Amino acid sequence: QVQLVESGGGLVQPGGSLRLSCAASGFTFWPKRMGWYRQAPGKERELVADITYSGSRNYADSVKGRFAISRDNTKNTVILEMNSLKPEDAAVYYCNTYPQPMATWGKGTLVTVSS
């Protein structure tokens, strides 16, 4: 049974940092390209960053230079380091496979950016 458990969100001031973690289980993790997605209120879910099994990374233009995605194939985890956070980064963040997300999504982790 596929499980994706995101954690690490919280309230942070503009300019602050957070480290999100995703624990994946129930599928063969290592060959899968993984992504971090986010969904803000009233907006569609969007891809923030993705990473191949070998570590090649891509980022949305809005987060380039501020966010960093990484993965540990031995622990089936995906990490998103977020720096210089802006109010527009506020959203619920999810991880899933990319480019085709699995049907199962985790509950996500809420990131709030506010002073």
Side-chain angles (χ1 to χ4, degrees):
Q1 168 182 356
V2 171
Q3 280 195 312
L4 298 164
V5 180
E6 301 90 353
S7 61
L11 172 63
V12 63
Q13 293 185 343
S17 300
L18 283 173
R19 184 177 187 269
L20 306 185
S21 180
C22 169
S25 61
F27 64 100
T28 306
F29 179 81
W30 72 267
K32 298 290 188 180
R33 191 168 180 176
M34 296 297 297
W36 276 99
Y37 302 76
R38 68 186 180 188
Q39 187 167 22
K43 295 188 177 181
E44 292 189 355
R45 190 173 291 168
E46 62 174 351
L47 179 72
V48 173
D50 69 87
I51 184 168
T52 67
Y53 75 93
S54 61
S56 295
R57 300 163 172 85
N58 291 291
Y59 297 94
D61 287 343
S62 59
V63 307
K64 276 182 184 175
R66 300 187 298 120
F67 290 13
I69 188 172
S70 61
R71 66 189 290 164
D72 185 335
N73 291 329
T74 66
K75 297 180 180 179
N76 289 8
T77 58
V78 190
I79 302 297
L80 187 68
E81 301 273 4
M82 306 188 297
N83 299 303
S84 303
L85 282 160
K86 304 175 180 180
E88 52 263 42
D89 295 317
V92 179
Y93 284 72
Y94 305 86
C95 69
N96 209 318
T97 53
Y98 177 80
Q100 183 58 53
M102 296 179 290
T104 299
W105 289 83
K107 294 181 179 179
T109 187
L110 177 64
V111 172
T112 303
V113 184
S114 175
S115 55

